[in-house]
Amino acid sequence: MSDLMHQLTERLAPSLNGIDQHGLYAEVESVEQLKIFMGEHVFAVWDFVCLLKELHRRLVTTSAPWFPPVDAMSANLIGSILIEEESDVDESGAYASHFDMYLDAMENLGGSTAQIRYFLKLLKNGVPVRNALDQAEASSATRSFVLTTFDFFDRPLHELAAAFVFGREGITS
């Protein structure tokens, strides 16, 4: 790990540990509470892939004419993660996205996927993310989380990558 990466990891350690030790995890003590948690968290599962797709779009050519990536190692890393997120093998041996697996888990638990499905339907019909969150009646916390992620799409590549690595995927040495 480079010195800069090591310094950044050390500076962020208290914040990352605070997230890992957040009291919310101890609060989920029943199936009903888990259903509520998953109903909110599914938006984070979805917007993780949006963050990943935006990184992918910036690192590789996604339409014709094709050009080789400037940073092949980063393109490989993001491409590998993307393949796993969009087409992993589920417990029955079929291919499915992690998002679809999460929806299946919600439904198997007896939770509702209506809100996230309505949100996605709005997006497919061209409704902007901000408006779709409002129309789907997403909670203020979920709304804030998703909009913060989407705000990174207007930032420089290194900030977008930092949001992905430190905010979502984590670092391994």
Side-chain angles (χ1 to χ4, degrees):
M1 186 181 315
S2 73
D3 278 348
L4 181 59
M5 183 69 85
H6 182 73
Q7 290 171 10
L8 188 54
T9 302
E10 282 187 6
R11 281 187 61 197
L12 290 173
S15 296
L16 296 174
N17 288 335
I19 292 168
D20 288 343
Q21 303 302 318
H22 196 281
L24 174 65
Y25 301 120
E27 295 293 320
V28 179
E29 296 179 334
S30 70
V31 171
E32 289 308 310
Q33 290 172 328
L34 182 58
K35 288 178 193 178
I36 292 167
F37 173 82
M38 291 179 82
E40 299 293 327
H41 184 254
V42 69
F43 284 87
V45 174
W46 171 80
D47 97 333
F48 170 80
V49 181
C50 292
L51 184 60
L52 182 58
K53 293 294 275 188
E54 179 63 14
L55 266 172
H56 184 254
R57 185 189 69 77
R58 293 216 208 157
L59 289 170
V60 303
T61 305
T62 58
S63 62
W66 176 83
F67 300 97
V70 173
D71 181 348
M73 185 178 81
S74 294
N76 179 271
L77 173 65
I78 295 303
S80 297
I81 296 169
L82 191 56
I83 286 170
E84 186 174 303
E85 284 297 322
E86 291 188 316
S87 59
D88 207 352
V89 178
D90 70 13
E91 63 188 14
S92 68
Y95 290 101
S97 71
H98 286 182
F99 180 77
D100 285 327
M101 290 180 204
Y102 198 93
L103 291 178
D104 287 345
M106 289 176 70
E107 289 169 347
N108 289 338
L109 192 64
S112 173
T113 59
Q115 184 182 40
I116 188 71
R117 289 185 190 280
Y118 178 58
F119 171 72
L120 294 175
K121 180 180 176 183
L122 291 167
L123 293 176
K124 281 185 180 179
N125 289 328
V127 176
V129 171
R130 181 178 304 275
N131 297 7
L133 287 164
D134 289 341
Q135 290 178 40
E137 299 180 359
S139 71
S140 61
T142 292
R143 189 177 189 282
S144 177
F145 186 88
V146 171
L147 293 176
T148 297
T149 298
F150 274 73
D151 283 345
F152 276 97
F153 298 176
D154 295 325
R155 295 190 185 182
L157 178 59
H158 69 280
E159 291 182 26
L160 181 68
F164 179 78
V165 171
F166 291 105
R168 300 299 185 77
E169 196 61 11
I171 292 208
T172 57
S173 12

